């Protein structure tokens, strides 16, 4: 993100962004493992009278205090409460009866506000167009997590776009539509400014192409191409499950997707 604003990756920025990365994991554990309410999280982060014997809560407050002095204050204090609520809403994904629209909405909100939280580490003002770009990009990256963590989410009972009973072709379409939306939001913010010189996009395209390879493997190797065939992770042989976000073994396919994204869009 610093490269998009021509900002040097200074010691202060490194300190802030590192603290953001650490607090994200702590915060997720407080929500998911300790079942902390939004009110409790807000108390941990914002209250002048905060006291606790919980090590995770104390660490969360410690890193929050590091972050809040090195950020875009307006964006930071707007996004943090929204991120707390988005994470709270994500608990609904454990409900087997959650509707499709809610799953997609939660996915986009959780990823979108997380991305804007990281953007707040850059002190430059954030315009409406830039805000919309990062929000949409965050939704895309959350989808990449859901695609590559399909089996892990199945084991935990988390309902994502991979567990809605959709054909793999529909999942692929939703994912590619999100890629297109990211491109449109970029053009609204930056016009037709080239992205090839930004390592920021190179990394995003690595992750995105990884997910396209995953979807392609599930679509063709296991014959999920029929429009009415629901994707079911249980029908994938255990030794063929695709996990994590590392560089895939299908290097030619991965490079083909990555090269196309580099040349034509995010």
């Amino acid at each position: 993100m610093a490269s998009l604003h021509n900002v040097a990756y200074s010691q202060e920025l490194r300190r802030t962004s590192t603290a953001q990365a650490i607090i994200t994991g702590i915060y997720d554990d407080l929500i998911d493992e300790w079942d902390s309410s939004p009110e409790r999280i807000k108390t941990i982060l914002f209250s002048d009278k905060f006291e606790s014997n919980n090590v995770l809560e104390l660490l969360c407050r410690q890193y929050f205090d590091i972050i809040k002095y090195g950020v875009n204050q307006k964006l930071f204090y707007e996004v943090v409460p929204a991120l707390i609520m988005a994470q709270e809403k994500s608990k609904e994904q454990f409900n087997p009866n959650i509707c499709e629209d809610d799953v997609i909405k939660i996915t986009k909100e959780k990823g979108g506000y997380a991305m804007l939280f990281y953007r707040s580490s850059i002190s430059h003002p954030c315009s409406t167009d830039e805000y919309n770009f990062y929000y949409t990009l965050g939704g895309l990256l959350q989808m990449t997590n859901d695609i590559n963590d399909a089996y892990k989410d199945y084991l935990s009972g988390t309902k994502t776009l991979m567990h809605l009973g959709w054909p793999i072709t529909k999942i692929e379409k939703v994912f590619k539509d999100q890629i297109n939306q990211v491109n449109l939001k970029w053009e609204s913010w930056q016009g037709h400014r080239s992205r090839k010189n930004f390592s920021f996009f190179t990394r995003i395209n690595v992750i995105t192409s990884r997910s396209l390879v995953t979807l392609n493997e599930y679509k063709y190797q296991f014959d999920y191409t029929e429009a009415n065939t629901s994707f079911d992770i249980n029908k994938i042989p255990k030794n063929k499950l695709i996990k994590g976000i590392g560089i895939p073994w299908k290097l030619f396919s991965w490079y083909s997707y990555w090269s196309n994204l580099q040349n034509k869009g995010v």
Side-chain angles (χ1 to χ4, degrees):
M1 293 183 186
S3 66
L4 297 182
H5 290 275
N6 198 27
V7 173
Y9 195 45
S10 64
Q11 184 175 354
E12 181 183 0
L13 178 54
R14 184 186 298 275
R15 182 169 180 260
T16 300
S17 59
T18 300
Q20 284 181 322
I22 294 171
I23 201 174
T24 299
I26 297 172
Y27 166 75
D28 285 348
D29 285 344
L30 286 172
I31 292 286
D32 297 335
E33 303 297 331
W34 290 84
D35 202 28
S36 298
S37 67
E39 291 73 24
R40 180 57 182 169
I41 294 295
K42 289 177 183 177
T43 297
I44 294 169
L45 299 182
F46 298 112
S47 176
D48 292 333
K49 300 179 180 179
F50 164 69
E51 294 181 359
S52 177
N53 293 319
N54 184 309
V55 173
L56 278 181
E57 290 186 346
L58 293 170
L59 282 173
C60 191
R61 179 55 178 262
Q62 179 182 351
Y63 283 109
F64 185 82
D65 286 342
I66 291 173
I67 295 164
K68 69 183 182 182
Y69 295 111
V71 295
N72 177 320
Q73 298 287 311
K74 180 178 183 299
L75 181 61
F76 182 74
Y77 284 104
E78 175 185 346
V79 166
V80 169
L83 180 56
I84 292 171
M85 292 309 302
Q87 188 69 24
E88 178 68 15
K89 286 182 183 178
S90 71
K91 292 181 180 179
E92 297 174 18
Q93 291 180 273
F94 291 103
N95 177 1
N97 298 316
I98 187 173
C99 70
E100 298 175 356
D101 289 346
D102 285 346
V103 169
I104 300 304
K105 182 179 179 182
I106 290 170
T107 299
K108 292 180 179 180
E109 287 182 351
K110 187 164 58 172
Y113 289 124
M115 181 61 68
L116 287 165
F117 172 64
Y118 296 128
R119 164 57 180 88
S120 70
S121 65
I122 308 297
S123 61
H124 288 196
C126 183
S127 68
T128 299
D129 285 336
E130 183 181 2
Y131 184 103
N132 291 337
F133 166 72
Y134 280 118
Y135 183 87
T136 307
L137 178 61
L140 175 67
L141 295 180
Q142 184 60 50
M143 287 182 182
T144 67
N145 288 341
D146 293 344
I147 290 168
N148 293 305
D149 289 342
Y151 186 63
K152 184 182 78 172
D153 290 335
Y154 161 73
L155 293 176
S156 68
T158 307
K159 206 154 189 179
T160 71
L161 80 165
M162 297 296 286
H163 307 291
L164 293 174
W166 288 351
I168 199 73
T169 48
K170 182 174 180 179
I171 298 171
E172 185 179 48
K173 181 181 184 305
V174 169
F175 186 57
K176 287 184 176 180
D177 284 347
Q178 190 71 12
I179 294 173
N180 290 335
Q181 284 299 311
V182 170
N183 290 330
L184 290 173
K185 297 302 181 184
W186 169 265
E187 290 180 4
S188 294
W189 176 33
Q190 295 281 3
H192 294 286
R193 184 184 181 195
S194 174
R195 289 161 288 189
K196 292 184 179 180
N197 296 327
F198 295 115
S199 59
F200 176 79
F201 291 104
T202 300
R203 296 186 180 99
I204 290 168
N205 292 339
V206 167
I207 297 170
T208 305
S209 60
R210 173 67 172 87
S211 298
L212 288 169
V213 170
T214 298
L215 291 176
N216 190 66
E217 283 298 292
Y218 285 159
K219 181 170 62 174
Y220 293 109
Q221 187 170 352
F222 303 107
D223 194 24
Y224 282 111
T225 55
E226 293 295 328
N228 61 349
T229 302
S230 297
F231 175 75
D232 183 352
I233 197 72
N234 279 311
K235 294 181 179 178
I236 308 299
K238 294 296 186 291
N239 64 328
K240 298 293 185 179
L241 287 167
I242 300 171
K243 304 174 185 178
I245 60 172
I247 300 301
W249 65 94
K250 293 281 186 176
L251 287 177
F252 180 79
S253 296
W254 169 79
Y255 181 78
S256 178
Y257 281 126
W258 178 83
S259 179
N260 184 59
L261 291 170
Q262 287 288 96
N263 291 328
K264 296 186 178 179
V266 175

